[in-house]
Amino acid sequence: MADLPLRPGSTLGIVGGGQLGRMLSQAAARLGFDVLILDPEDDCPAARVSAGQFVAPYDDPEALTALGRACGVVTFEFENVPAASMERLAEAGARVAPGPTALRVSQDRVEEKTFLNAVGAPTVDFHAVATLDDLRAGLERLGTPALLKTRRDGYDGKGQVWVRDPAEVADAFAAIEGRPAILEAAAPFIRELSVIAARDWDGRMAVYPVGENSHEGGVLRVTTAPAIADEKTLVRARAIAEAILDGLDYVGVMGVELFDLGDGVLLVNEIAPRVHNTGHWTQDGCVCDQFEQHVRAIAGWPLGPTEAHARVEMANLLGDEIERWSDLNGKADVRLHLYGKAEARPGRKMGHVNKVLGPI
Ligand code: AMP
């Protein structure tokens, strides 16, 4: 295994080839690294800006072995990569960051909340649900409304159903097709915030200013950052993020989604062991964006500065909103970030636009 810090010219591996991999690869290239992507989709968005691609399933043993051998460090760009794949890479002697534990914990909402509470990061009350009787018991304990979510494979609000009345239990259980689930108490939040934080191999941390997020139908629409918030809230957000990254002995960038209940009270909704959509504003609001920060962290370079030099509003371009590119591309205060996806399916993340609101 090559020594850290990895020298420019070294090769980094990314499991997953979507837009996050693409922007990671672009940041890595700027620092002189070559990137190899592992993704089953030929010519995926990340591969088109990278040095090469293994076109194979995420758990393909031969592709994983080849990737591990070729790379000074291997990372992943979305949390549904099988944790076993990253474990296999690590066992075969590859350097993997973040470690497989972070992936495993974030893949199961019950494990995730149990871990979060254990490190002092509060969440809503929850109840593990395997059967209809569990769901009834959970509802009795947590009251209505409550949110039933599949334990695994949920993202962007998929695999979730609100239970507003005990009479709805059977329908709710059917809606998630009887899969292992978690029932969550409703968080009485006044707004949603997130923290993007990084940790290096020696445990040093760098935390970006908090972002304020708005979702529609479970999908992120807009992040505005730095969020206007009182000192108590900002200090608390930072402390929560640091406890989580330390608790996982984490290396790399992580997104921590928070519910702001007011008066400095924050609950963690979920964590994403990767660069995060709510951190895209850093591309135009900070000297070192979250993508470069992740590359720096995993390659053993010093972490970059996280202060904002501008206030930014990041808006996702979903589905055919991508067609706004020709109106947006002439505006002086916006920067377009497009993902090179051929097909604009409804709701698909096609790009984002960072509007610079003004200097800090
Ligand atoms: P998730 O997929 O867990 O990130 O949930 C998607 C969105 O649903 C969140 O950003 C919130 O707007 C909402 N949500 C999720 N969990 C809860 C909860 N326990 N209480 C209230 N709203 C929630």
Side-chain angles (χ1 to χ4, degrees):
M1 203 187 290
D3 287 342
L4 294 178
L6 297 180
R7 297 175 57 79
S10 306
T11 303
L12 314 183
I14 305 177
V15 182
Q19 66 269 16
L20 301 178
R22 180 179 171 100
M23 292 183 277
L24 280 170
S25 187
Q26 290 169 320
R30 208 175 52 241
L31 298 181
F33 295 112
D34 287 327
V35 174
L36 294 176
I37 303 294
L38 169 59
D39 193 279
E41 183 197 324
D42 191 13
D43 211 21
C44 59
R48 299 223 300 281
V49 300
S50 298
Q53 178 183 3
F54 294 98
V55 183
Y58 303 123
D59 57 357
D60 184 282
E62 280 166 31
L64 286 166
T65 303
L67 184 71
R69 287 212 180 112
C71 297
V73 64
V74 180
T75 190
F76 50 86
E77 60 103 51
F78 84 126
E79 60 269 39
N80 291 337
V81 166
S85 293
M86 302 314 286
E87 274 156 11
R88 171 185 276 272
L89 277 164
E91 279 159 17
R95 182 182 284 119
V96 172
T101 312
L103 193 51
R104 202 172 271 291
V105 165
S106 69
Q107 282 174 342
D108 181 312
R109 293 184 191 273
V110 172
E111 269 195 51
E112 182 178 60
K113 285 191 170 50
T114 306
F115 159 77
L116 289 168
N117 291 330
V119 296
T123 65
V124 290
D125 266 349
F126 62 97
H127 195 91
V129 171
T131 64
L132 201 51
D133 278 346
D134 292 336
L135 180 54
R136 285 198 188 95
L139 216 53
E140 206 152 291
R141 187 161 77 76
L142 304 177
T144 51
L147 188 52
L148 183 66
K149 302 179 179 177
T150 55
R151 281 175 72 146
R152 305 179 68 87
D153 298 329
Y155 66 96
D156 287 348
K158 293 187 173 62
Q160 305 192 1
V161 52
W162 279 101
V163 192
R164 297 182 194 280
D165 186 290
E168 293 172 7
V169 282
D171 285 348
F173 199 60
I176 58 152
E177 295 160 350
R179 281 180 287 171
I182 182 172
L183 186 69
E184 296 185 7
F189 61 83
I190 51 174
R191 60 178 177 168
E192 295 187 73
L193 302 175
S194 58
V195 194
I196 308 296
R199 188 172 178 279
D200 72 11
W201 292 96
D202 296 321
R204 284 182 290 256
M205 285 193 260
V207 184
Y208 287 96
V210 169
E212 177 169 348
N213 308 314
S214 70
H215 295 82
E216 257 169 49
V219 181
L220 181 71
R221 294 303 317 211
V222 175
T223 297
T224 309
I228 311 287
D230 55 80
E231 195 58 22
K232 204 165 145 189
T233 303
L234 297 177
V235 168
R236 185 72 185 126
R238 188 183 182 98
I240 286 174
E242 290 182 347
I244 295 170
L245 272 66
D246 267 340
L248 289 167
D249 195 16
Y250 193 81
V251 176
V253 164
M254 173 182 280
V256 180
E257 292 183 34
L258 299 164
F259 295 130
D260 180 358
L261 272 49
D263 202 27
V265 181
L266 298 172
L267 301 178
V268 179
N269 174 26
E270 61 181 3
I271 59 175
R274 52 170 170 77
V275 287
H276 197 244
N277 196 169
T278 66
H280 291 357
W281 70 273
T282 59
Q283 291 173 309
D284 298 295
C286 300
V287 168
C288 175
D289 68 34
Q290 64 164 348
F291 302 99
E292 175 172 336
Q293 193 73 285
H294 186 72
V295 171
R296 285 175 162 274
I298 66 174
W301 288 28
L303 296 178
T306 50
E307 299 81 34
H309 56 70
R311 209 154 173 266
V312 174
E313 182 188 88
M314 188 285 316
N316 278 331
L317 297 173
L318 304 179
D320 57 16
E321 289 167 7
I322 182 72
E323 292 307 328
R324 288 178 57 207
W325 70 269
S326 62
D327 291 333
L328 291 165
N329 68 6
K331 296 194 193 307
D333 58 346
V334 306
R335 283 192 72 209
L336 270 176
H337 300 264
L338 306 180
Y339 308 152
K341 295 181 182 175
E343 207 190 327
R345 291 194 291 272
R348 191 177 193 203
K349 289 176 180 169
M350 302 298 292
H352 65 272
V353 51
N354 278 340
K355 182 173 166 61
V356 176
L357 302 176
I360 294 297

